[in-house]
Amino acid sequence: MKIKCPICGKREASEYTYIGDATVKRPDVNNTDEQSWFEYVFQRRNPRGDHEEHWQHTAACRSILKVKRNTVTHKISSVDLEGPWQGQGEENN
Ligand SMILES: [Zn+2]
């Protein structure tokens, strides 16, 4: 599997580190509901098909990327930078 970093170009997946599910949203800091925090910290889906994930290009620019990947075929449909550079990614061709 290859991932096209918006800064460095297309590189082998071994240069990247999987960080986690990009669809998980942190509860508001004032939220005292234990179940909400339990689900945020411990509960993860195991989707079949398209999924959004965070990866870091640890062997090069160290950018945090949001990768849209199919968990069955491993086809990557898009890669985008996270943080203030978000929205400057492109299709993963
Ligand atoms: Zn990079």
Side-chain angles (χ1 to χ4, degrees):
M1 183 172 85
K2 291 187 176 183
I3 299 172
K4 188 176 182 182
C5 174
I7 295 172
C8 307
K10 192 172 273 191
R11 304 286 181 88
E12 288 293 333
S14 60
E15 290 192 10
Y16 299 82
T17 301
Y18 176 78
I19 296 175
D21 186 338
T23 64
V24 176
K25 301 296 180 216
R26 182 180 175 161
D28 182 85
V29 70
N30 296 317
N31 183 348
T32 58
D33 178 46
E34 288 183 22
Q35 186 64 30
S36 296
W37 285 99
F38 173 80
E39 290 175 9
Y40 168 68
V41 174
F42 297 109
Q43 299 293 317
R44 294 294 179 268
R45 298 181 315 120
N46 188 17
R48 178 180 171 84
D50 292 335
H51 189 53
E52 291 183 347
E53 304 167 332
H54 282 135
W55 290 74
Q56 183 174 22
H57 198 181
T58 46
C61 68
R62 304 195 62 78
S63 294
I64 306 292
L65 309 173
K66 183 185 280 186
V67 175
K68 290 182 183 173
R69 180 178 69 91
N70 186 299
T71 59
V72 177
T73 64
H74 300 293
K75 181 178 181 341
I76 295 172
S77 56
S78 70
V79 179
D80 199 4
L81 291 168
E82 281 288 37
W85 308 276
Q86 189 171 2
Q88 298 182 22
E90 57 189 69
E91 299 299 312
N92 196 65
N93 298 320

